[in-house]
């Protein structure tokens, strides 16, 4: 609900003689709307994004840059004083009425408080009602002033809101602490009177031993724990049932969003928290961002008792620490939603409903270019995806990896997003890995690797074929299998048949030739030190898979077993046991997870070929590493970089965290 409509609704609940003394928010807004055409001196936002400020005029009739600026400065120099005079008159009207009503209200309240135990319940109720109504009157009008100033600053490019509100700190309606301090005492007085006179309220009563009522009354009396809970509960019940809707007003708070930006980080945080403590605010949420010395500290608070002195203290704090203060009194609708579901309106999250949370890791070993980042952000804008957080993961001199926390509309499917992101990635040679942001994302416990062209750079069967002198024939079959053009079992049988008669010691020669993929040792050492279980599941051959297992410190190795002749010297051209094809790979992943008591949501799989797709799909994070086109298209994530260590980024580890894991024993 727009504040103007909300104010009108609230204003109607006040007595007629009060209503004429409200700030005329509609008139102030109308003045600004009709008078602020071509007055914004913040030229970067005053013109359309496509507008070009020319160095020289295109024609003789065009206004030069200095003329445009001069015209706007002249307009705003005339408009702003007019607006301030209008606003001053409104504030003075409202403050004068407050002063008159305050004196009468204070007398009535003090009279009741001075009565001792002989209290007239009706007079006590009337005094409390007047006090609460005055308190509400002040806050509604102060909010109208703040919002009118905010619109002025937005439409003119000036920043007069904070200094203007500092001026108001000298007025009576702000300096009303003594009056508001009477409220708890008056409420306690009325509660005691109701109990003493055995008032029987109409309607339902809360149970006398209700801890909610007892704690609420204790809080109102300024106590940390409720004393004599049965009496307090009875008093609270009587008070609530007697005054009805007024009780909601007694407990009313205002929700305010505050931010302070400046070069003194810890001092700024401490000073803001000091102000909040002084004014007994309840912190609903906070957010902090830092750019070297410059810090922005934001906090969402519930402000009790309509305590306007808080804003003056915050302004003085900003002045002391050379900071820039901004605050926004939240609309009633947002406030109600935030109170009902605090997590829905966390400061670090986009305040929209019907959204899903994702983590996007963008990566390029050669550096993330402005062109790519621009294309990436434009795509987010087109999809109405909000960026909630950004975290740099690499520690290089050139920006290489950034993790984005995203708020994604529910209608966008991961599959739709993945297909479009592949095109962006290929166009800029950068990777974008998208994952649901849930509790399991950084709680992985098992990583399963393919071997050939993943942990090692070669295809082992091609290396054996090279030694046997039949490399071209075998390589052709291998490539068809990896592209998914040939059934894996059939391709394996054809290739192994070509190896018939090859000496067994060719396997030892291949071991010596194996080249581990860049980052393989670094990745596996980090994961082992972090407590992961690691496995290699290969469509290659077991002796070589076991060698890779020992070299990298893995826990499991599964692969095909080559049959040898009776004398153990030559290969027979067939395999023995189950063939480790795509189905078998996925089955083995699940077997390992079950054996270790690990949920599939905590499993990562890495591979490059078509026979890895089922395994990649079985894991919650399946990574296509320098994979074939079909695999990249179907996998949930892809990395097209040289180093396997980049997988740590997708798992949420920063470079400094990965380096720390290398130092563990």
């Amino acid at each position: 609900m727009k504040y103007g409509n909300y104010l009108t609704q609230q204003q109607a609940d006040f007595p007629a003689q009060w209503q004429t003394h409200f700030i005329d928010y509609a008139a102030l807004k109308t003045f600004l709307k009709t008078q602020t055409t071509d007055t914004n001196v913040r030229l970067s936002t005053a013109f359309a994004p496509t507008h070009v400020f020319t160095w020289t005029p295109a024609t003789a009739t065009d206004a030069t840059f200095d003329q445009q600026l001069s015209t706007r400065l002249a307009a705003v120099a005339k408009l702003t004083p007019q607006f301030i005079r209008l606003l001053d008159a409104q504030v003075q009207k409202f403050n004068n009425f407050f002063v008159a009503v305050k004196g009468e209200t204070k007398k009535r309240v003090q009279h009741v408080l001075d009565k001792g135990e002989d209290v007239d319940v009706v007079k006590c109720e009337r005094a409390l009602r007047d006090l609460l109504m005055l308190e509400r009157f002040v806050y509604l009008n102060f909010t109208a002033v703040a919002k009118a100033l905010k619109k002025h600053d937005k439409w003119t490019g000036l920043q007069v809101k904070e200094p203007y509100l500092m001026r108001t700190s000298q007025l009576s309606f702000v300096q009303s602490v003594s009056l508001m301090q009477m409220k708890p005492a008056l409420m306690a007085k009325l509660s005691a009177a109701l109990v003493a006179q055995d008032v029987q309220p109409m309607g339902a009563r809360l149970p006398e031993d209700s801890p909610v009522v007892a704690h609420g009354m204790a809080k109102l009396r300024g106590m940390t724990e409720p004393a004599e809970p049965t009496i307090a509960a009875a008093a609270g019940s009587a008070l609530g049932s007697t005054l009805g809707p007024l009780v909601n007003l007694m407990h009313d708070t205002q929700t305010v969003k505050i931010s302070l930006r400046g070069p003194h980080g810890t001092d700024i945080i401490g000073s803001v928290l000091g102000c909040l403590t002084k004014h007994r605010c309840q912190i609903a949420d906070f957010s902090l961002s830092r750019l070297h010395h410059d810090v922005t500290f934001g906090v969402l608070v519930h402000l009790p008792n309509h305590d306007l002195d808080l804003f003056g203290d915050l302004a003085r704090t900003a002045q002391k620490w050379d900071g820039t203060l901004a605050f926004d009194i939240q609309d009633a609708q947002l406030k109600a939603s935030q109170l009902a579901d605090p997590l829905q309106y966390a400061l670090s999250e986009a305040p929209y409903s019907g959204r899903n949370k994702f983590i996007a890791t963008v990566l390029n070993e050669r550096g993330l270019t402005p062109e790519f980042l621009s294309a990436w952000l434009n795509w987010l804008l087109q999809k109405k995806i909000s960026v909630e957080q950004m975290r740099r993961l690499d520690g290089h001199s050139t920006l290489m990896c950034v993790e984005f926390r995203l708020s994604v509309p529910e209608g966008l499917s991961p599959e739709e997003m993945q297909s479009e992101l592949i095109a962006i990635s290929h166009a800029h040679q950068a990777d974008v890995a998208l994952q649901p942001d849930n509790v399991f994302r950084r709680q992985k416990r098992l990583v399963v690797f393919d071997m050939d062209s993943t942990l090692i750079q070669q295809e082992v069967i091609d290396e054996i074929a090279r030694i046997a002198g039949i490399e071209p024939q075998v390589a052709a079959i291998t490539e068809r299998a990896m592209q998914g053009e040939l059934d894996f079992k059939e391709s394996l049988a054809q290739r192994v048949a070509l190896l018939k008669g090859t000496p067994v010691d060719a396997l030892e020669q291949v071991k010596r030739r194996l080249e581990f993929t860049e980052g393989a040792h670094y990745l596996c050492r980090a994961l082992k030190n972090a407590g992961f279980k690691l496995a290699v599941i290969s469509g290659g051959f077991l002796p070589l898979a076991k060698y890779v297992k020992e070299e990298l410190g893995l826990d499991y190795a599964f692969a095909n077993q080559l049959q040898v002749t009776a004398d153990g010297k030559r290969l027979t051209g067939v395999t023995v046991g189950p063939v480790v094809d795509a189905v078998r790979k996925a089955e083995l992943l699940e077997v390992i997870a079950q054996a270790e008591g690990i949920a599939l949501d905590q499993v990562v799989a890495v591979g490059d070929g078509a026979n890895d797709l089922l395994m990649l799909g079985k894991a919650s994070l399946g990574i296509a590493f320098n994979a074939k086109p079909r695999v990249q298209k179907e996998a949930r994530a892809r990395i097209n970089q040289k180093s396997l260590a980049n997988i740590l980024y997708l798992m949420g580890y920063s470079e400094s965290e990965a380096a720390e894991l290398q130092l563990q024993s």
Side-chain angles (χ1 to χ4, degrees), residues 300-578:
L300 189 70
V301 300
H302 302 315
L303 176 63
N305 299 325
H306 299 171
D307 186 353
L308 303 185
D309 282 345
L310 169 66
F311 301 106
D313 284 346
L314 287 170
R316 285 184 282 274
T317 293
Q319 210 169 32
K320 177 180 179 181
W321 296 111
D322 193 25
T324 301
L325 172 68
F327 64 85
D328 189 24
I329 301 166
Q330 302 295 284
D331 292 336
Q333 185 176 2
L334 175 60
K335 173 192 163 187
S337 301
Q338 198 276 333
L339 287 171
D341 185 4
L343 293 179
Q344 184 179 352
Y345 290 96
L347 286 180
S348 61
E349 299 188 3
Y352 307 121
S353 58
R355 314 283 279 194
N356 295 318
K357 305 298 182 182
F358 282 84
I359 293 293
T361 309
V362 299
L363 169 68
N364 189 337
E365 289 176 337
R366 296 171 296 281
L368 294 170
T369 65
E371 292 79 8
F372 162 71
L373 292 172
S374 177
W376 159 241
L377 265 297
N378 283 333
W379 180 83
L380 294 177
L381 288 170
Q382 291 170 10
K383 298 297 179 181
K384 301 188 185 308
I385 296 173
S386 300
V387 177
E388 293 186 338
Q389 292 178 359
M390 293 171 59
R391 183 169 74 109
R392 183 177 182 177
L393 297 183
D394 73 283
H396 296 267
S397 58
T398 301
L399 182 64
M400 194 180 94
C401 184
V402 180
E403 180 182 277
F404 291 79
R405 187 169 189 261
L406 304 176
S407 174
V408 178
E410 286 182 345
L412 280 178
S413 69
E415 293 76 18
E416 176 188 349
M417 291 188 288
Q418 292 281 21
S419 63
E420 296 183 19
L421 288 175
I422 289 176
I424 296 174
S425 297
H426 286 171
H428 296 275
Q429 288 79 53
D431 295 320
V432 180
L434 202 62
Q435 305 175 58
D437 185 20
N438 55 38
V439 69
F440 293 109
R441 191 182 69 84
R442 287 199 64 176
Q443 298 296 325
K444 308 300 186 190
R445 295 175 55 200
L446 169 64
V447 182
V448 176
F449 298 95
D450 174 43
M451 183 173 72
D452 296 5
S453 299
T454 302
L455 286 176
I456 60 174
Q457 295 184 26
Q458 302 103 316
E459 295 285 332
V460 294
I461 196 167
D462 292 346
E463 294 302 309
I464 299 172
R466 181 177 291 112
I467 294 171
I470 53 172
E471 180 186 5
Q473 301 94 306
V474 169
I477 300 172
T478 300
E479 181 61 24
R480 290 179 62 200
M482 297 306 291
Q483 294 288 356
E485 299 174 4
L486 190 63
D487 174 77
F488 181 80
K489 284 185 178 180
E490 177 60 29
S491 71
L492 180 67
Q494 291 181 19
R495 288 176 293 175
V496 171
L498 292 173
L499 298 177
K500 182 176 181 180
T502 301
V504 170
D505 63 6
L507 298 176
E508 293 300 319
Q509 295 180 52
V510 171
K511 287 181 186 179
R512 293 192 291 270
R513 293 184 179 185
L514 288 185
E515 296 179 14
F516 285 90
T517 302
E518 180 182 331
H521 288 86
Y522 186 95
L523 169 65
C524 293
R525 185 162 52 246
L527 293 174
K528 286 300 294 180
N529 287 338
F532 282 77
K533 293 296 181 180
L534 306 179
V536 56
I537 303 178
S538 173
F541 305 117
L542 193 57
L544 299 170
K546 286 183 175 179
Y547 170 74
V548 169
K549 169 180 173 289
E550 296 303 319
E551 281 291 309
L552 297 178
L554 312 182
D555 300 284
Y556 297 91
F558 293 94
N560 295 299
Q561 180 63 57
L562 290 167
Q563 187 184 65
V564 298
T565 56
D567 58 8
K569 293 182 179 181
R570 294 186 178 276
L571 302 178
T572 64
V574 297
T575 60
V576 293

Side-chain angles (χ1 to χ4, degrees), residues 37-66:
T37 304
D38 296 333
T39 57
N40 195 335
V41 296
R42 192 178 300 167
L43 299 183
S44 58
T45 58
F47 290 87
T50 55
H51 182 83
V52 177
F53 292 102
T54 57
W55 180 255
T56 56
T59 68
T61 58
D62 283 346
T64 60
F65 182 80
D66 64 307

Side-chain angles (χ1 to χ4, degrees), residues 75-300:
V76 81
K78 179 180 178 181
L79 175 143
T80 294
Q82 291 177 351
F83 172 75
I84 295 301
R85 285 192 291 272
L86 285 173
L87 186 58
D88 279 353
Q90 293 284 331
V91 171
Q92 192 66 57
K93 174 188 70 172
F94 142 60
N95 188 66
N96 289 344
F97 182 76
F98 170 81
V99 171
V101 175
K102 172 188 173 183
E104 298 171 5
T105 303
K106 191 170 184 179
K107 286 179 184 178
R108 282 196 295 273
V109 173
Q110 194 63 56
H111 178 73
V112 171
L113 294 178
D114 291 343
K115 275 292 186 179
E117 296 183 2
D118 184 19
V119 178
D120 185 325
V121 172
V122 175
K123 289 184 178 179
C124 193
E125 288 179 4
R126 185 179 301 148
L128 180 58
R129 190 183 301 273
D130 290 347
L131 181 60
L132 294 171
M133 188 162 60
L134 182 60
E135 185 181 58
R136 185 67 173 163
F137 174 76
V138 168
Y139 213 88
L140 286 169
N141 282 281
F142 181 82
T143 303
V145 172
K147 288 189 174 291
L149 286 165
K150 182 179 178 181
K151 289 188 179 298
H152 169 274
D153 290 0
K154 177 182 177 181
W155 293 341
T156 65
L158 300 182
Q159 294 184 349
V160 301
K161 177 182 174 183
E162 276 69 40
Y164 187 96
L165 292 177
M166 284 184 68
R167 289 175 66 222
T168 66
S169 64
Q170 305 166 38
L171 298 177
S172 297
F173 75 86
V174 176
Q175 299 176 347
S176 56
V177 177
S178 60
L179 183 62
M180 298 314 165
Q181 286 175 342
M182 291 179 167
K183 185 169 70 171
L186 184 59
M187 293 171 67
K189 194 90 170 178
L190 178 57
S191 300
L194 290 170
V195 173
Q197 296 181 25
D198 194 25
V199 173
Q200 296 298 321
M202 299 293 290
R205 295 178 57 171
L206 292 172
E208 292 188 354
D209 59 350
S210 166
V212 175
V213 173
H215 180 72
M217 291 307 301
K219 184 177 179 183
L220 291 171
R221 291 173 176 169
M223 299 182 293
T224 55
E225 293 294 335
E228 302 180 7
T230 302
I231 295 175
S237 178
L239 181 63
S241 298
T242 301
L243 297 182
L246 196 57
V247 172
N248 294 330
L249 195 56
M250 291 189 299
H251 297 280
D252 193 26
T253 61
Q254 292 298 321
T255 301
V256 184
K257 184 172 62 180
I258 301 163
S259 70
L260 188 58
R261 177 173 58 84
H264 305 282
T266 306
D267 293 312
I268 281 177
I269 298 169
S271 297
V272 170
L273 293 177
C275 291
L276 301 182
T277 301
K278 176 182 175 182
H279 295 276
R280 300 173 64 188
C281 296
Q282 178 187 354
I283 297 177
D285 196 16
F286 70 90
S287 179
L288 177 71
S289 64
R290 175 182 285 274
L291 187 62
H292 288 304
H293 293 296
D294 287 327
V295 162
T296 299
F297 180 56
V299 61
L300 189 70

